[in-house]
Amino acid sequence: MRFFLILSFLSITFSAFSQSKITYLDSLAQSIKKLPVKKQLELITTIPYGNFVAEVEKADSLFRKAEQIALQLEDSTSLGDVVFKQGQLKAYQNRMDESLALSLRAIKIFEESGNLEKAGIAYGGLGYNLKSNNLEKAKQYMQKSIKLLQQANDSVGINPVYDNYGVVLNRDGQNDSALLYQQKSLRIKKALKDSTGLGYSYANIANTYAEMEDFRKAKAYLDTSLVIRNGIADNYGITVNYVQKAEILVLEKKYMEALENFKRCASLAKQYKYLHLEQYCYEQMENTYLKLSDFENAYFWKEKFQSLKDSSNSLKVNSRIEELQIQFETEKKEKLLAEAQTDILTKEVEIKSRTNWLISAIGLSFILALFGFVVYKQQKQRNKQIIKENQLKQALIKIENQNNLQEQRLAISKDLHDNIGSQLTFIISSLDSLKYFEFNKALIYPKFESIAAFTRSTITDLRDTIWAMNKDEITFEDLKLRIINFIEAAKASLLGIQLEVNFVNSKEDLALNSVQGIDVYRIIQEAVHNAIKHAKPQKIVVNFMQNANEVVVEIIDNGVGFYSNGFVTVDRGNGEGGTGNGLHFMQKRAEEIKGKLLIIKQNPGTKVQLNVPLRE
């Protein structure tokens, strides 16, 4: 079920108004005539939401006047406000193409003037208006709106966006998430003591409970909404309440009661010129009569709906009308056939007189069918071409991915050969050399222990390499667990050195390819080992961070420091430097993954910093 609500994105503090001969907008139009234009602009742009939706045509006239004043005064903020409100009014008048154009114009004005807070509000309105045509795009714009308004800490502006985002999630079947955002909005409205806004929040929550088939709660929230709206004479809200009640009754299969509420809503919508809501009610009455198999009334309300329907959707609407007409005519003809069996002779003359008309109709139908067939064949051919193009693109992507994966595995295989192979060769050589030693415990047992330790290190390196080879990509979680395991294993031999690891600003969906993952892991290992072996630190800290386009790893110690020169950038301030196989190993690893390795002198200690670009 689609609940038809449009909420405010600009004003939360609404004022009650009464419907009399001199309305709020009439009074405002008269009172501002003699005021300076700047004051006129201020009063028009701050018209409360409840007032301008109550009289859309009068509001439209005032907003057009305000637009001219804002252009004259070169007031971009007021111009953006009034253009956005014009977009809202066009939605109420069922002129969605104009509404979309005005919303986009307002966003452009706000962004060019650097007013990102109001741009966030406009993005929310744009997303909400797209919910019927492009649900994914609607969610994308509303999420952008929420992000901008949260950054601005604007509880007033974000309040209706939360409410409307709940409606969009409701359409997408995410009822639990919808309820979460609607309850957030309700809490803000209560804090602001926003009586008109509360009417909308209670009604939206009622819709969500109805979708969840909790009709008891749905009716309770809807009744609360109606009490609030009646109390402040909210014409639009009262009108919407009828359609909401009808939709709940449809879910309960109480179709006749639902029809009465749809008709009441349509009548009020027509009176107040809410064309989008009037059209929606006609469509729902058609659907409800279809559930009752009352094709005659369904066809009648479909005709009413069609008269308000956008011309851009005429092909789809005409097809639906034709379907209803066929159903209606079929039922009618079945009844006529039963009557004709008893009076067939008297109908012969009438049948003959219709023959010529039928021939003409058949001829016209044949021409239309032929035209439709040609269009169908052309469209079918285009669809086949599109499918072939997509299949080719997917095949190329698959080949590219396989090539990338093969390159990564070849790189790791080379690492396995160069690193693990050389280590195994060393172990074999060490074992062979033992046969030249005399068996002496004091001499030969330390050799055994040294070979065993080196073998355990080789096994660990081999496991790490196999771990990387078995993965198409290494996620943040994989790397995090591997580093923690390494740190925990290292703590056993630290001899009082404190070791700390931090993961800062890292996202769960971070992914490196297998070569990047193993090289980052090896560089961290080597840097920690170097610090333990050479720097004599009291503490070593490993920081793992993610920026916009790169991963940054820092290994920081507070020891005596170690120097590097030539192949590594070193920030020491005195030109001192040195070399080491461990540093060369880290530099080589960094270059393999197109990373940047910095070794920076600190007071006290040293910082090893690795910057790795993320893959696109």
Side-chain angles (χ1 to χ4, degrees), residues 1-5 128-135 138-139 164-175 178 182 208 211 247 280 283:
M1 177 178 65
R2 297 180 178 180
F3 299 100
F4 210 88
L5 293 178
Y128 189 77
N129 285 337
L130 286 174
K131 67 185 183 302
S132 299
N133 300 322
N134 191 331
L135 193 58
K139 289 194 291 185
N164 287 345
Y165 188 48
V167 174
V168 172
L169 291 174
N170 190 292
R171 276 179 173 255
D172 200 29
Q174 302 179 47
N175 294 321
Q182 289 163 350
T208 302
E211 286 285 357
E247 288 174 327
Y280 180 74
E283 183 181 25

Side-chain angles (χ1 to χ4, degrees), residues 260-273:
E260 290 302 317
N261 281 275
F262 280 131
K263 289 176 182 177
R264 180 60 177 155
C265 175
S267 175
L268 290 173
K270 186 172 184 178
Q271 175 185 341
Y272 297 126
K273 302 186 185 302

Side-chain angles (χ1 to χ4, degrees), residues 350-361:
E350 184 179 352
I351 292 172
K352 288 180 181 179
S353 66
R354 294 181 179 178
T355 301
N356 292 335
W357 179 86
L358 288 173
I359 291 172
S360 300

